[in-house]
Amino acid sequence: MRRPKYYTPNEVSLHNTVEDLWVSYLGKVYDLTPLVKEHQGDVLLKPIIESAGKDISHWFNPKTKDIRTHVDPLSGCKKYYTPSGRFVHVPPPWPCTDWANDFGCPWWRDGCYEVGVLSAKTRHVRIINTLTSQEQMLEVCSEETMSEILQRYLNYNSHAASYTWKYGGVNLDMGKTLSENGIADEDQEFYELRMDRDLFTQSICLYFNDDLTEL
């Protein structure tokens, strides 16, 4: 199976317009732009548009993967719980003859909108190009392999694959994650010691493979 793409919450937050609307929930990332276009002008889009770029896991029951429900104290009936307002594909709270329920699968159960996985924990690493002495701080997903981190770094150096990646003088296994390469996540320790993480971020050094000084 194809490995899923991981996203940081910051990356999801950048997609926060009607023309480019992403959300995350229950650990996955979804592009709801097609849904918004399909229902353009529908008042039931309001809660979704207001949540653009945000995590909406609190809308869902993590066990059933469905919208949270509650029992109406007056009718005793179970209804969807939507404190932010009723949204697309959620039935009205009372019997209604003009509600079209022929849409099939509700959008939150339709896998066609899924674009990737939300990182459970992000990390910051400093990439140092030893050839040019340039440094770049990256926020990456802890689940990503070094090869996937390399793909992120291509935005700053299109020749990143021409370098040997090392940490502490040891070549990194590009098929493994930071932790699997022995680069421990020290965020909690920094927090407990009240240390500035940015001052002690682990550094990964890049050595150009064709650099004749590296003999």
Side-chain angles (χ1 to χ4, degrees), residues 80-91:
Y80 282 121
Y81 180 64
T82 55
S84 299
R86 180 171 160 244
F87 47 83
V88 175
H89 294 171
V90 171

Side-chain angles (χ1 to χ4, degrees), residues 23 31 33 50 57 71 80 84 89 95 106 120 134 136 146 156 164 175 189 195 209 213:
V23 297
D31 180 0
T33 309
E50 290 178 342
S57 295
V71 176
Y80 282 121
S84 299
H89 294 171
Q134 293 178 322
Q136 185 64 48
M146 296 307 305
Y156 307 97
T164 295
E189 184 176 354
M195 297 171 63
N209 292 334
T213 64

Side-chain angles (χ1 to χ4, degrees), residues 12-13 15 22-25 50-56:
V12 177
S13 71
H15 301 270
W22 287 21
V23 297
S24 61
Y25 57 90
E50 290 178 342
S51 300
K54 301 177 183 178
D55 187 83
I56 55 173

